Amino acid sequence: MHCPFCRHGDSRVVDSRTSDDGTSIRRRRQCPECQRRFTTIETASLSVVKRSGITEPFSREKIVNGVRKACQGRPVGEDDLALLAQRVEETLRATGSAELDAHEIGLSILGPLRELDEVAYLRFASVYQAFESLEDFEAAITALRAEHEAEQGAEHEAEQGAEPEREHVAQHAGSEAPSAGSAATGGPFA
């Protein structure tokens, strides 16, 4: 690492610390020539191979810009977009690959975007899944509806699972003591 002050070609690491999110290392360095100190930040590189074959560094900002277009006019804020880009980057880094195809990155955006906003998801999917006809849109919408029905069915089953327990408790409580006004006790006016 060249010294930014005297341009000496070497430096010595004085201190190293991992960032809070664990994705980078902050190193404090000292130049052996001029004795001045400076800081460097090291991150694991993640490269994107574009369709043209050109390789460029991964950029969360490019994800945000691409998704922002799909979210235009939708109730999605900048914080939502930043969080989505972070989730996508974490997913991509978890693959362990240092180079990723641009198309793979586009496809990895679809899941988090579907959770964020379904209309934006359909807009984005139409590009990255190369929709060519109305049938492609209909198939995507049918898949979204099926997911909703499955989620609602699971929620309904969870509610139904709790209902028999409530009924059992109510029946059990009712069998221990007759209610006020019942014929067995003659009621309150007997």
Side-chain angles (χ1 to χ4, degrees), residues 30-63:
Q30 184 172 13
C31 175
E33 186 71 26
C34 68
Q35 302 300 313
R36 294 180 78 179
R37 291 186 176 194
F38 57 97
T39 301
T40 60
I41 297 176
E42 298 176 16
T43 59
S45 66
L46 186 61
S47 300
V48 179
V49 180
K50 301 184 89 171
R51 287 183 206 147
S52 64
I54 296 172
T55 301
E56 63 181 40
F58 173 83
S59 167
R60 281 189 193 180
E61 190 59 35
K62 284 195 173 190
I63 289 177

Side-chain angles (χ1 to χ4, degrees), residues 59 147 166 179 183 190:
S59 167
E147 286 179 29
R166 286 188 210 131
S179 64

Side-chain angles (χ1 to χ4, degrees), residues 103-180:
H103 188 71
E104 290 176 52
I105 294 171
L107 293 176
S108 70
I109 294 170
L110 292 174
L113 185 56
R114 183 177 56 234
E115 293 171 17
L116 182 62
D117 187 275
E118 290 176 340
V119 172
Y121 161 77
L122 285 171
R123 291 173 178 171
F124 196 85
S126 69
V127 174
Y128 279 92
Q129 292 180 335
F131 288 9
E132 294 179 3
S133 66
L134 288 176
E135 288 78 20
D136 292 336
F137 280 97
E138 288 173 350
I141 291 169
T142 301
L144 284 172
R145 284 188 177 137
E147 286 179 29
H148 278 290
E149 289 172 6
E151 289 171 5
Q152 289 174 348
E155 289 173 9
H156 182 69
E157 285 179 18
E159 289 173 6
Q160 292 300 319
E163 283 298 319
E165 187 174 316
R166 286 188 210 131
E167 289 173 14
H168 174 72
V169 169
Q171 288 173 353
H172 186 66
S175 66
E176 289 180 1
S179 64

